[in-house]
Amino acid sequence: MRIAIGNDHIALELKKVIVDHLSAKGYEIIDLGTHSAERYDYPVAGEAVARAVVSGEAEKGVLICGTGVGISLAANKVKGIRACVCSDPYTARLSKQHNNTNILAFGSRVVGSELAKMILDEWLTAVFEGGRHQRRLDMISGIEERQGV
Ligand code: RB5
């Protein structure tokens, strides 16, 4: 599975840990940056990863900034993206089973590296349950359509 990953300068070190973790598990990683510790605006990474996911270049995306909030807000502006911020494995699993999230975000100032790995592992192995959940996701897509996004 190919995973696109993006981050701001605050999350550079945690991003490296996560890339190593996912690579060791056999995932193919597309690292869309940032790659340096210089100040970097999180919407750039959020949009880049979101576009990689909707284009099919990557199956899933991972975003990391200080809190995970700004970078997920940016990603969610791209039509077809369902990104959520998770600070615990339970929410991460349910976000896939019920909401079919295609991007997972978290904050490097919020979660430590071991918890971040656990959150990601839970999310990556969870499976969307469809059924009534699909109908609700269709309702969310309807909002996008009515917005003319
Ligand atoms: C950068 O200072 C910080 O605002 C960013 O990493 C993130 O937390 C935004 O949501």
Side-chain angles (χ1 to χ4, degrees):
M1 181 192 294
R2 209 178 301 164
I3 298 174
I5 191 163
N7 60 286
D8 72 359
H9 54 291
I10 303 289
L12 186 65
E13 294 309 315
L14 181 56
K15 192 271 297 283
K16 289 177 187 167
V17 171
I18 294 302
V19 167
D20 288 348
H21 176 69
L22 295 179
S23 300
K25 285 184 169 274
Y27 294 104
E28 191 182 333
I29 305 300
I30 307 170
D31 185 351
L32 296 172
T34 183
H35 304 288
S36 93
E38 270 176 52
R39 201 170 287 272
Y40 185 86
D41 296 327
Y42 58 77
V44 179
E47 181 177 5
V49 167
R51 295 211 180 279
V53 171
V54 292
S55 72
E57 188 189 344
E59 284 173 55
K60 293 178 182 171
V62 174
L63 288 170
I64 323 170
C65 66
T67 59
V69 173
I71 206 160
S72 59
L73 290 178
N76 275 317
K77 294 297 177 190
V78 175
K79 185 176 177 180
I81 288 300
R82 292 175 301 280
C84 77
V85 186
C86 288
S87 303
D88 69 277
Y90 179 78
T91 306
R93 171 153 53 90
L94 269 288
S95 83
K96 171 52 75 178
Q97 292 177 336
H98 290 189
N99 314 112
N100 202 15
T101 44
N102 46 16
I103 291 182
L104 187 87
F106 48 86
S108 64
R109 286 171 165 162
V110 181
V111 298
S113 56
E114 293 309 309
L115 180 55
K117 289 182 208 173
M118 204 178 282
I119 289 168
L120 264 179
D121 291 346
E122 198 70 26
W123 182 65
L124 287 168
T125 52
V127 176
F128 178 51
E129 292 175 356
R132 69 184 189 283
H133 303 299
Q134 182 58 58
R135 185 177 59 77
R136 292 163 184 158
L137 296 186
D138 291 343
M139 292 171 72
I140 294 175
S141 301
I143 299 171
E144 284 179 334
E145 297 304 329
R146 290 193 294 281
Q147 194 85 1
V149 179

